[in-house]
Amino acid sequence: GGEFNILQCDLILANGQLNNLRSAVVGLTIFESINQFAITGTITIQDSYNLASYGPIIGQEYLKLKIATPNLKGGENTIDYSSNPLLITAVDDREEIGNGVQATTMSFCSREFVINQRTRVRRTLVGSYSDIVETMLYTDLDSDKELYSEPSADNKKIIAPNAKPFDVVSIAMKNAVSEKFNQSTYFFWESTSGFNFRTLGDMYAQNPVMKYESTLAGTRTQNGVRDILAELGAIEAYTITSSPDT
């Protein structure tokens, strides 16, 4: 977990009722991984508004979310799902916390994940695998999020008989060869800044965001004050495991 500032948190119920939950949020987790095609997460609210009186929360609601998190440069990074709402997929838990107030935890995911479950591709796709991934995202999944796509080599033909868009993306991910790095190590995932279709070579070639080094205890200070960046990049302990003899 970490510090965050909620700029907007609106829950749109199935009946169209909009509820501002900005002051009711007590917990928020957003999960992204290069092994996961879409963003998922959970949000816990202190339901002192009695949302059930406006309409039942049944796991089919939209969540407009905009938060700011501090960065290492002293500013803030914004995560914005106000124009591309997240979808509530389940109500995980309801718990009485006293004085008639209920804590409700809900799971959510990005809109493209739900559309993928309802969409089938029944046509022949022609082009490079990176072009086909772009087609799946913008045509079949109707997304308007940013896509960082590393160009793949050669034109291909995929016959998609009743396949989900993400199934087609999986085929592209397993078979595409990078035009620049000549390797087939593609990953497709969604981050809070958009979608990515990139190889390990392309990821390794970017500038590192953090440098870790082993330092002596007591040296991570500046003028007697703890250096937070030095603390964050310090290796406290490590173990070298010998590889088996061949």
Side-chain angles (χ1 to χ4, degrees):
E3 179 184 346
F4 60 90
N5 180 29
I6 300 176
L7 305 178
Q8 179 182 357
C9 183
D10 295 328
L11 183 69
I12 304 174
L13 303 180
N15 62 8
Q17 172 77 36
L18 186 146
N19 297 276
N20 183 355
L21 303 180
R22 182 180 173 187
S23 60
V25 177
V26 295
L28 175 66
T29 301
I30 298 176
F31 182 70
E32 62 178 60
S33 167
I34 64 171
N35 295 312
Q36 182 172 286
F37 283 5
I39 288 284
T40 59
T42 60
I43 184 170
T44 301
I45 61 170
Q46 179 178 287
D47 186 10
S48 57
Y49 300 98
N50 189 19
L51 286 177
S53 65
Y54 297 103
I57 301 177
I58 57 177
Q60 298 179 10
E61 295 75 28
Y62 289 92
L63 179 65
K64 290 188 174 184
L65 185 66
K66 187 175 183 180
I67 64 175
T69 59
N71 58 33
L72 297 177
K73 298 178 181 179
E76 288 185 330
N77 295 328
T78 301
I79 299 173
D80 190 356
Y81 286 98
S82 58
S83 57
N84 287 291
L86 300 158
L87 267 71
I88 301 296
T89 56
V91 178
D92 300 315
D93 186 42
R94 287 189 176 98
E95 182 181 356
E96 292 291 338
I97 58 177
N99 298 323
V101 178
Q102 190 177 68
T104 302
T105 300
M106 299 172 285
S107 294
F108 60 77
C109 68
S110 58
R111 170 176 165 271
E112 290 80 4
F113 181 83
V114 175
I115 294 177
N116 175 71
Q117 301 301 314
R118 303 170 178 170
T119 304
R120 295 295 181 271
V121 183
R122 304 180 183 89
R123 65 183 187 277
T124 300
L125 302 163
V126 179
S128 67
Y129 280 120
S130 55
D131 291 339
I132 291 173
V133 168
E134 185 173 339
T135 298
M136 290 297 100
L137 183 62
Y138 292 128
T139 301
D140 295 85
L141 294 176
D142 192 31
S143 177
D144 58 2
K145 296 176 183 174
E146 293 286 338
L147 170 65
Y148 182 97
S149 180
E150 179 187 348
S152 62
D154 302 330
N155 284 335
K156 302 293 181 179
K157 178 184 289 187
I158 298 178
I159 299 175
N162 203 35
K164 297 177 183 177
F166 280 163
D167 291 338
V168 176
V169 170
S170 293
I171 294 173
M173 190 176 71
K174 294 173 183 177
N175 294 282
V177 176
S178 170
E179 188 176 71
K180 180 178 180 181
F181 296 97
N182 194 31
Q183 58 179 242
S184 74
T185 57
Y186 272 94
F187 285 83
F188 178 85
W189 76 98
E190 183 186 5
S191 69
T192 53
S193 56
F195 285 92
N196 302 267
F197 185 62
R198 305 170 60 187
T199 61
L200 289 176
D202 187 55
M203 287 185 264
Y204 294 155
Q206 68 185 12
N207 293 326
V209 295
M210 197 71 193
K211 183 178 181 181
Y212 296 93
E213 25 184 35
S214 181
T215 59
L216 296 174
T219 62
R220 300 193 290 270
T221 60
Q222 286 186 349
N223 301 322
V225 180
R226 290 178 61 190
D227 186 336
I228 301 301
L229 285 179
E231 291 277 1
L232 193 61
I235 299 175
E236 299 291 344
Y238 63 90
T239 302
I240 299 177
T241 304
S242 60
S243 58
D245 296 332
T246 56

